[in-house]
Amino acid sequence: MITKNLFLQGVFPFEGAGLEKPVPIHRELAHFVPDGIINQALYFRGGNSSSELVTVVLMRDGVPMRYFPIGAKSDVHVPLRVVEDIEGGSVIEVFLLAADGVAGYVVIDLGMVEH
């Protein structure tokens, strides 16, 4: 079985749209899992430059899959102990929840493997 490491990562500006409205962060933080392939998210690391709590949301086909809260001017590293298979044909995206008007930069590092 051949495995391939895959990373969605970067530093991106954001402006919050409300704590109940997840919004896409950047088009670079989306991945289509090819047909016949299984994807698994293994870890998430993130940082938040704003003075308010933000939450990064891992979406699968437009549905929230995991939530990663990041404190004000803080960072987080979450090794995922429960790893789910994401079937081929799925779209994985990284969205953000932040209070309306909260602005800053978010650092994203989502590590995945495909086989």
Side-chain angles (χ1 to χ4, degrees):
M1 174 185 307
I2 298 174
T3 61
K4 174 184 169 187
N5 296 326
L6 178 67
F7 305 93
L8 298 182
Q9 54 192 188
V11 179
F12 304 95
F14 72 88
E15 184 167 342
L19 292 174
E20 295 180 358
K21 183 180 180 186
V23 294
I25 298 170
H26 194 276
R27 70 185 185 295
E28 290 179 15
L29 296 175
H31 174 68
F32 176 77
V33 180
D35 289 331
I37 299 293
I38 299 293
N39 177 295
Q40 295 175 324
L42 300 179
Y43 73 85
F44 172 80
R45 281 189 284 242
N48 169 22
S49 74
S50 79
S51 59
E52 300 289 332
L53 171 80
V54 300
T55 301
V56 173
V57 184
L58 179 60
M59 307 284 276
R60 177 176 50 196
D61 296 327
V63 177
M65 183 176 165
R66 297 287 175 97
Y67 291 83
F68 304 105
I70 307 173
K73 297 186 181 200
S74 189
D75 62 90
V76 66
H77 177 184
V78 181
L80 298 174
R81 300 291 185 227
V82 176
V83 178
E84 300 172 68
D85 288 347
I86 301 170
E87 301 288 334
S90 298
V91 176
I92 300 167
E93 298 172 284
V94 181
F95 281 42
L96 185 89
L97 289 170
D100 193 31
V102 170
Y105 286 85
V106 65
V107 179
I108 301 293
D109 182 10
L110 176 65
M112 301 176 285
V113 66
E114 290 187 338
H115 50 89

